[in-house]
Amino acid sequence: MVDRPFYAEGLKFSCTRCSSCCRHESGFVYLSENDLSRLANEFKLDYTAFVETWCRWIPFTPGTERLSLKEKSNFDCIFWNNSCGVYNARPLQCRSFPFWGDHVLCSQKAWEAAGRDCPGINNGELHSREEIEGFIRQTEEEPVIEREVRK
Ligand code: SF4
């Protein structure tokens, strides 16, 4: 983490629930162990049943795959139903957006670019540097579930 990142004075963001990040375009919602536990609990399923019903494995690096939620044939998130159907148990990737350290927060330019697709960016509530770095830390502490691909 750099000493004085571009977000040192905080960043404005309030989700307008426009849903453009959850619908219409193909994407991956990767899950950590905590995400899986929360979601399986929400559906009263064990891990295996939840993964078989709601998840898919996405090729990552050669020989590895990462666990993601499925999406519908129209590319909406599998849990989209007029709004997020699992809002209180939504994965960290969704809860921490747009405070993604390896992507949106890597530069001011990347932040502004993300704002072209998300009307919540640069509007609404001011989030402090501490809060932002809390999301970055949590994402580092809760890695996405990954497995080796069997040959
Ligand atoms: S695109 Fe931004 S404002 Fe719209 S739902 Fe996603 S996070 Fe919220």
Side-chain angles (χ1 to χ4, degrees):
M1 218 170 279
V2 291
D3 284 346
R4 192 170 173 77
F6 76 92
Y7 55 78
E9 301 303 318
L11 290 169
K12 281 189 174 181
F13 170 71
S14 286
C15 178
T16 66
R17 306 275 186 105
C18 75
S19 308
S20 83
C21 61
C22 332
R23 304 188 65 194
H24 306 310
E25 277 184 40
S26 186
F28 306 123
V29 181
Y30 293 117
L31 302 180
S32 69
E33 291 283 351
N34 282 349
D35 292 329
L36 183 55
S37 168
R38 254 193 320 272
L39 284 162
N41 192 44
E42 178 86 0
F43 285 81
K44 306 209 176 345
L45 292 173
D46 63 34
Y47 279 22
T48 307
F50 182 85
V51 169
E52 280 174 1
T53 309
W54 300 108
C55 299
R56 57 192 168 145
W57 288 97
I58 306 295
F60 185 56
T61 54
T64 67
E65 295 176 323
R66 288 186 154 192
L67 190 66
S68 169
L69 292 179
K70 287 180 181 172
E71 60 189 7
K72 297 180 183 174
S73 56
N74 64 358
F75 304 128
D76 287 3
C77 174
I78 195 71
F79 292 132
W80 173 261
N81 185 13
N82 288 324
S83 66
C84 177
V86 293
Y87 192 78
N88 291 329
R90 67 198 189 284
L92 178 59
Q93 180 179 322
C94 309
R95 278 184 287 121
S96 62
F97 182 81
F99 304 120
W100 295 350
D102 59 350
H103 181 33
V104 182
L105 294 177
C106 64
S107 67
Q108 173 108 43
K109 201 170 159 191
W111 171 259
E112 299 301 336
R116 288 199 281 278
D117 295 322
C118 170
I121 286 180
N122 287 328
N123 286 303
E125 187 184 345
L126 180 68
H127 299 265
S128 68
R129 174 178 179 172
E130 290 69 33
E131 195 182 346
I132 292 166
E133 290 180 346
F135 279 121
I136 297 172
R137 249 193 325 278
Q138 193 181 356
T139 304
E140 288 168 354
E141 287 165 5
E142 294 185 29
V144 166
I145 298 170
E146 205 171 291
R147 71 177 182 185
E148 288 185 9
V149 184
R150 282 193 222 113
K151 291 185 184 154

